[in-house]
Amino acid sequence: MNIVAGWNQPEYEAMGIELPTDHDDRYALAQEWWDHVRTLWTRPGRGDLDGRFYALRNVEAEPKPVQGVLPVLNAGSSPQGRDFAARNANFVFTIIADANQGATVVAGLTERARRQYGRGVGVMSPAHVVCRPTQAEAEDYLRYYADEHADWDAVDNLMRLQGLHAQSFSPEMLETFRSRFAAGHGTCPLIGSPDDVANEIERYAKAGLAGMTLSFVDYLGELEQFAAEVIPRLEAKGIRQPRPPLETTP
């Protein structure tokens, strides 16, 4: 289950809902909502639920999850978001600049979750992939779609909204990540040959990340090529376990 506290004010306005302007309030609302959901999933029968944001009367949840409370994913990069993830999530997606900063973020988040909440949390970060037979070919394609043919109006509008309503990217990131936003929404770049991409992912794995989400310009072609060329290299490095063969019935 992916819990999102929300940040993009125009989306709220389209639904006639007011986005809390105070960042603490957004996560306080998300925490109260999640507390109520967990209660409904684990409490038998009907009852009332009161809080600062919700006042529910004679409510119940049926059917409940078969295996209890579901695993939680949460994307948070602000201090409030990372604290929410440390308290509630099994895995947190957070924005980082590179593997070196990732190691610092992982250490801080896992220590906070352990010290303050007595629990573990895995840390992941999103990335965009441009994988070609050679580094030069990958850089040529990156330049083609993320520079020569970039929609700079859309990029600047997205960055403006991030600066106004979200705290996922620091002001320093927003000042220097314009090309990254054009390439992949400000995420970590994995650019190069299959060896280059596998080596870069290895750096993030050694920094302590539990995984990465990957985006491609052309999923149909590029994901197939990634599976054929990069995943075997990750398996050889011991970063990814080979998938066991499918069982067949006689």
Side-chain angles (χ1 to χ4, degrees):
M1 182 174 186
N2 184 22
I3 299 177
V4 182
W7 66 272
N8 193 357
Q9 184 169 318
E11 292 177 345
Y12 282 73
E13 292 172 349
M15 298 292 115
I17 300 172
E18 184 176 346
L19 174 69
T21 56
D22 185 85
H23 209 68
D24 289 332
D25 282 348
R26 296 182 202 175
Y27 279 98
L29 187 151
Q31 185 65 58
E32 185 176 309
W33 176 87
W34 178 230
D35 290 341
H36 287 345
V37 169
R38 281 186 299 194
T39 298
L40 291 170
W41 280 354
T42 57
R43 181 185 69 185
R46 298 184 180 186
D48 299 339
L49 291 171
D50 289 308
R52 175 184 168 192
F53 301 96
Y54 301 98
L56 310 179
R57 295 290 174 264
N58 199 31
V59 292
E60 64 179 335
E62 293 292 348
K64 304 181 191 302
V66 174
Q67 296 176 319
V69 176
L70 299 177
V72 171
L73 308 177
N74 174 248
S77 296
S78 66
Q80 298 93 330
R82 287 175 176 171
D83 185 72
F84 180 90
R87 179 177 179 179
N88 301 286
N90 299 92
F91 292 97
V92 54
F93 292 98
T94 192
I95 297 294
I96 57 176
D98 51 34
N100 291 333
Q101 188 200 22
T104 301
V105 171
V106 169
L109 261 170
T110 54
E111 174 61 17
R112 181 186 300 180
R114 184 195 63 80
R115 186 181 66 253
Q116 293 184 216
Y117 302 110
R119 56 191 309 278
V121 62
V123 182
M124 299 186 183
S125 191
H128 58 278
V129 181
V130 180
C131 185
R132 295 294 185 271
T134 67
Q135 178 80 30
E137 289 174 277
E139 291 178 351
D140 283 345
Y141 185 66
L142 177 68
R143 183 166 50 252
Y144 168 79
Y145 87 85
D147 182 8
E148 297 170 3
H149 293 83
D151 186 341
W152 292 113
D153 287 341
V155 168
D156 291 338
N157 184 57
L158 174 61
M159 295 182 68
R160 181 184 63 82
L161 290 172
Q162 288 280 351
L164 285 174
H165 307 306
Q167 295 182 18
S168 297
F169 296 86
S170 68
E172 293 76 18
M173 285 181 171
L174 289 175
E175 288 179 3
T176 59
F177 275 23
R178 191 168 183 251
S179 61
R180 281 199 188 185
F181 271 88
H185 206 297
T187 60
C188 298
L190 302 174
I191 315 297
S193 69
D195 283 327
D196 295 324
V197 172
N199 290 339
E200 190 68 7
I201 292 174
E202 183 180 29
R203 291 183 63 234
Y204 285 99
K206 288 181 177 179
L209 266 68
M212 303 183 81
T213 58
L214 308 178
S215 64
F216 305 85
V217 173
D218 174 15
Y219 274 91
L220 291 179
E222 294 183 72
L223 183 58
E224 184 176 350
Q225 183 244 5
F226 183 92
E229 297 289 341
V230 180
I231 286 182
R233 288 168 166 81
L234 297 177
E235 292 174 349
K237 292 174 178 293
I239 294 171
R240 181 181 174 90
Q241 297 300 314
R243 187 176 67 179
L246 296 175
E247 295 184 2
T248 59
T249 56

